[in-house]
Amino acid sequence: MTNRMIITGGNRLFGQVRISGAKNAGLVLMAASILAEGETILDNLPRIRDVEVMTQILNELGVVTRWNPDDSLSILVPEGRLNCTTSYELAKKLRASNLLMGALLGRQGEAVISLPGGCDIGSRPMDLHIKGVQALGAATVIEHGYIYAQSHKPGGARVYLDFPSVGATENIMMMASRTPGVSVIENAAKEPEIVDLANFLNSMGARIRGAGTDVIKVEGVSQLRPCRYAIIPDRIEAGTYMVAAAITGGEVKVQNIIPMHLHPISAKLQETGAYVEECDEGILVRAGEKILPVDIKTLPYPGFPTDMQSQMMALLCCSQGSSVIVENVFENRFQIVDELKRMGANIKVEGHTAIVEGQPCLYGARVKATDLRAGAALVLAALAARGETVIDDAGHVFRGYEKMPEKLTRLGAVVRTE
Ligand code: EPZ
């Protein structure tokens, strides 16, 4: 399996790139599909490693999945009880396997979920997920690395989330969609992927209102029906290619996007001196004369997305001054710093704050991707660096970016994989 990317930097990127479907919408919609028996079809689902692992997890539960000639995914959910256990082997590859908890509890009142464990960006606890499903009537026990959840008399409830967790909001929505009574999620996550999940579930006959705000109301129904649904474009993939234009001094138009989803990223890029213009179903980014330093604070949507923090750090390493980045969402999302330093970056980390002193240029080096977005940021740094960069563990990048080497090559980058 491809696991290394070799990039020769220095080319300005020019052209158009079609953005794929959103990884973080596709994964939760795949989990939610088990709430209805029959064939659900998802369009615009990216062919990425995380999606492949999620199909394996669904197969493990007894759900048949099939890629169709038109690139849609058919999810054939049988009648009767599904296997309700997600295995450690697959869960450790994909944290989003934890989204099967709400879907299984909503469908059949039982779920045995392998604790996904931490990853390179933080401990990734599930306390808010558990608080939510318990409020709706599930009894939970954590033993031997699994969450055992069973709901004998589920009922609608009001849940306040201490933090607007995306996954916890999604798990509660899925369980509540088929739990008798009305549930209210307060301080809910407002990400576009939450709205996409609500739209998907409502297409199946659910009664969800308020998605996209911090109060979501769900009126449980006894049955949902399968549907065909096209997932939203990936705002983080789009943001990554927008930064690629700015960091290489080029001009790139990202297409098949929803501009509103990119507002925090477009605004920040403009502050760095890039020219950003919304046009028909796309956004054009032209690099500015120079890259200006900016300060960034990551926050839940509609704040600046944590999933774009590493990519912006790479850009600011090439800026004409000092930038301050504060990571407020995850506790350990500066893993990329040591790798960027190998390329000549000057970054100082103090707790949740990174101070980036821009340099005239970066230099190619041998580096290692520690997680998905750090890997994407190393690609961006390599595109701008002088000389050749070898990125080991590039498999992380292929987890969340469809056909990245091909898309970059079409924009004029010199990329090869091994
Ligand atoms: C989703 O992860 C995304 N993943 C992440 O994208 C994204 O970074 C994150 O939301 C924030 O936007 C998917 O959608 C598959 P959270 P999730 O629960 O749901 C704490 C990427 O690169 N927390 O909103 O796991 C947690 O520790 C990935 O595409 C609790 O304390 O994120 C973290 O600090 C990375 N208790 C913060 O909340 C809980 O029960 C945000 O986590 C749950 C979370």
Side-chain angles (χ1 to χ4, degrees):
M1 186 181 287
T2 309
N3 206 26
R4 183 175 290 152
M5 277 173 98
I6 298 105
I7 295 174
T8 304
N11 286 13
R12 296 167 183 248
L13 300 194
F14 288 100
Q16 301 177 353
V17 59
R18 187 186 184 284
I19 298 303
S20 303
K23 168 178 82 79
N24 293 345
L27 293 175
V28 65
L29 266 58
M30 290 171 78
S33 65
I34 70 169
L35 286 160
E37 294 167 357
E39 181 178 11
T40 282
I41 300 175
L42 294 179
D43 290 302
N44 204 31
L45 195 59
R47 298 294 294 257
I48 53 179
R49 289 186 187 173
D50 276 7
V51 165
E52 292 303 334
V53 174
M54 186 58 94
T55 60
Q56 293 165 22
I57 291 169
L58 291 178
N59 299 160
E60 214 177 37
L61 300 181
V63 175
V64 173
T65 53
R66 184 190 66 231
W67 288 101
N68 300 313
D70 63 1
D71 281 336
S72 63
L73 180 73
S74 279
I75 303 172
L76 305 155
V77 182
E79 294 181 1
R81 288 183 74 77
L82 295 176
N83 168 24
C84 64
T85 302
T86 63
S87 67
Y88 172 72
E89 289 69 29
L90 290 176
K92 74 179 181 217
K93 291 181 186 173
L94 183 64
R95 169 178 168 75
S97 55
N98 67 0
L99 297 171
L100 271 307
M101 180 163 74
L104 283 165
L105 285 169
R107 174 195 168 93
Q108 56 192 48
E110 184 181 17
V112 180
I113 303 296
S114 172
L115 277 171
C119 63
D120 294 290
I121 60 176
S123 63
R124 314 300 291 273
M126 285 191 62
D127 56 307
L128 299 176
H129 298 245
I130 289 168
K131 173 181 177 181
V133 300
Q134 285 179 341
L136 270 66
T140 61
V141 171
I142 296 180
E143 250 177 14
H144 314 300
Y146 282 84
I147 302 174
Y148 295 84
Q150 269 196 324
S151 54
H152 299 298
K153 277 177 64 52
R158 181 178 291 273
V159 184
Y160 174 80
L161 291 179
D162 310 46
F163 180 90
S165 156
V166 170
T169 301
E170 292 168 340
N171 260 329
I172 300 164
M173 284 168 72
M174 289 188 282
M175 181 177 178
S177 68
R178 286 196 51 188
T179 294
V182 176
S183 298
V184 179
I185 308 170
E186 293 177 333
N187 196 29
K190 299 185 273 194
E191 276 70 5
E193 292 75 29
I194 300 286
V195 177
D196 216 26
L197 174 61
N199 291 339
F200 174 68
L201 288 171
N202 286 341
S203 303
M204 297 168 96
R207 294 188 191 138
I208 300 174
R209 296 190 311 283
T213 74
D214 47 15
V215 179
I216 297 176
K217 280 192 181 153
V218 184
E219 185 184 342
V221 295
S222 59
Q223 204 164 21
L224 291 174
R225 56 184 180 276
C227 71
R228 179 156 196 162
Y229 189 86
I231 69 172
I232 55 172
D234 195 315
R235 59 196 169 99
I236 304 303
E237 184 197 17
T240 303
Y241 285 101
M242 290 162 69
V243 173
I247 202 171
T248 60
E251 177 177 304
V252 172
K253 182 176 177 184
V254 293
Q255 292 182 307
N256 180 46
I257 49 112
I258 299 171
M260 182 184 66
H261 293 170
L262 284 146
H263 279 169
I265 300 164
S266 301
K268 262 306 154 189
L269 268 181
Q270 282 172 322
E271 283 179 43
T272 68
Y275 171 79
V276 181
E277 179 195 350
E278 287 181 16
C279 34
D280 54 305
E281 262 219 335
I283 292 182
L284 179 76
V285 177
R286 183 181 310 128
E289 289 302 306
K290 53 189 175 185
I291 300 167
L292 305 174
V294 297
D295 294 343
I296 290 177
K297 289 181 174 55
T298 66
L299 286 169
Y301 193 88
F304 189 85
T306 175
D307 292 349
M308 280 297 302
Q309 182 256 102
S310 297
Q311 297 90 313
M312 286 301 287
M313 183 181 282
L315 177 66
L316 296 172
C317 286
C318 307
S319 72
Q320 313 253 326
S322 177
S323 303
V324 177
I325 300 177
V326 182
E327 171 55 59
N328 292 308
V329 177
F330 286 102
E331 70 266 28
N332 185 26
R333 205 164 196 176
F334 288 142
Q335 301 277 314
I336 188 178
V337 167
D338 292 338
E339 301 304 309
L340 287 172
K341 281 178 170 175
R342 291 176 55 76
M343 301 177 73
N346 179 340
I347 308 169
K348 193 157 170 270
V349 174
E350 285 175 11
H352 286 233
T353 300
I355 298 158
V356 182
E357 300 294 345
Q359 302 300 304
C361 72
L362 296 175
Y363 298 91
R366 180 114 190 224
V367 293
K368 186 165 74 79
T370 53
D371 62 84
L372 165 58
R373 305 304 175 183
L378 289 173
V379 169
L380 296 172
L383 291 169
R386 282 189 190 160
E388 181 177 88
T389 298
V390 177
I391 304 175
D392 288 326
D393 291 352
H396 282 290
V397 178
F398 304 124
R399 281 184 41 214
Y401 287 89
E402 188 177 45
K403 299 194 181 104
M404 182 179 244
E406 296 84 345
K407 291 185 178 183
L408 287 174
T409 302
R410 266 204 298 280
L411 292 172
V414 180
V415 185
R416 69 178 196 281
T417 56
E418 296 180 339

